[in-house]
Amino acid sequence: MNKYSSIALFSLSSLFAADSFASSWDFRSYETPVNYNFLSFAIGGGKLNSDVLTGRDGVTVSDINLRWLLNEHWFTNFQYKGRFTHHGDENDRADYVTLSGARRFAVMENGDLYAGIKIGGSKLKIRDSNGSTKYTEKDFLLGLFAGANYAFTDALEGNMVLEYLEYDIIHESSFELSLDYYFTTNFSLGAYGRTIWNDDSTLDQGGVVAKLRF
């Protein structure tokens, strides 16, 4: 995992290592090992290694995510992602909007597995140094994902997920690790590390996440 991911995850895990085996704080009112009902905001950055996009290496990423548990076994997710790829004084912008549904499987007292499908769209803008759009491309996307959640304590939660996305002209896969610490019943701060790859490039990124539980 790249330095952005490693630094973010190591910092958070070190900060809350003392709480890893803390007793239950009864932070949840439903029978799941982690919190599923939340609105999250994330920001991060990373490095793009590409065979075709030369000079476009620095990346800034933002994320807004709304997830809610429909019942004991099913949850849904609405997500927006914005990604800026920098090259000199210019930057390219990509926006992603997706809706997903997933099935969770309660495999242990402190953890569960999940798998689901995702549909949505993306819009890419190639821009000049003045911010004017030179080229626009829109894609429909369809994806599959699977992951695992684990509650180290009622305050400290971990997640990993593997995802595959198919666009009109390209496909990509990603792997993500994250940790979240709930300071109160309804508010947490966390960190994540993610690697995204396709046939032409690899993007390594990391960042911080704030969640509002409802």
Side-chain angles (χ1 to χ4, degrees), residues 114-174:
Y114 60 90
I117 61 174
K118 175 180 291 189
I119 61 172
S122 66
K123 184 176 183 179
L124 172 65
K125 294 181 178 180
I126 306 298
R127 308 193 300 184
D128 60 23
S129 59
N130 297 318
S132 300
T133 301
K134 299 188 293 185
Y135 173 76
T136 300
E137 180 179 290
K138 297 180 180 179
D139 281 333
F140 171 79
L141 67 88
L142 178 65
L144 302 172
F145 59 91
N149 293 312
Y150 191 81
F152 298 98
T153 72
D154 274 355
L156 183 63
E157 301 176 352
N159 172 259
M160 69 175 182
V161 59
L162 180 65
E163 183 177 77
Y164 173 82
L165 296 179
E166 185 77 31
Y167 298 86
D168 290 340
I169 61 173
I170 198 172
H171 59 269
E172 68 178 31
S173 302
S174 66

Side-chain angles (χ1 to χ4, degrees), residues 20 66 75 105 143 152 158 194:
S20 294
L66 176 63
F75 66 90
F105 305 90
F152 298 98
R194 180 188 300 129

Side-chain angles (χ1 to χ4, degrees), residues 5-35:
S5 307
S6 302
I7 292 173
L9 292 177
F10 178 77
S11 299
L12 189 70
S13 60
S14 299
L15 182 60
F16 299 114
D19 288 313
S20 294
F21 300 99
S23 59
S24 173
W25 293 2
D26 295 327
F27 269 24
R28 299 179 189 84
S29 58
Y30 46 88
E31 297 300 320
T32 59
V34 299
N35 291 320

